[in-house]
Amino acid sequence: MNTKAAKKIKVEAFHGTHFHAGCMLCTFATGIHTDETPAAQDVRAAVYKHVRETGHECWIESGTTWHYSLTESQP
């Protein structure tokens, strides 16, 4: 039988969701951290505009950062 006490892990969302984009063929880049594109739909609109105007291929990456740590009250 395992006599070790299970350590409890605290999980917290860290810095919210990130959402950024770039071009595969030039230096175009944007994200929700810029004044011109403050929301995800603004980033998508900027990517669509860039692809239509240049014919380039772009990417969008999104996700949430999670922070894992031991809880404060460990034995």
Side-chain angles (χ1 to χ4, degrees):
M1 175 177 244
N2 188 354
T3 58
K4 284 187 173 182
K7 293 184 178 181
K8 294 190 182 201
I9 305 292
K10 178 172 67 172
V11 181
E12 299 175 288
F14 188 71
H15 289 289
T17 300
H18 69 273
F19 202 88
H20 55 270
C23 182
M24 307 280 287
L25 301 172
C26 73
T27 60
F28 168 79
T30 190
I32 59 173
H33 58 277
T34 66
D35 290 338
E36 297 83 28
T37 54
Q41 62 267 25
D42 299 318
V43 174
R44 284 191 297 272
V47 167
Y48 275 64
K49 180 180 178 188
H50 183 74
V51 171
R52 283 188 183 110
E53 289 178 352
T54 64
H56 292 176
E57 297 179 17
C58 292
W59 52 267
I60 294 177
E61 178 182 301
S62 65
T64 302
T65 303
W66 296 93
H67 180 250
Y68 292 80
S69 63
L70 291 176
T71 59
E72 301 279 329
S73 60
Q74 294 298 316

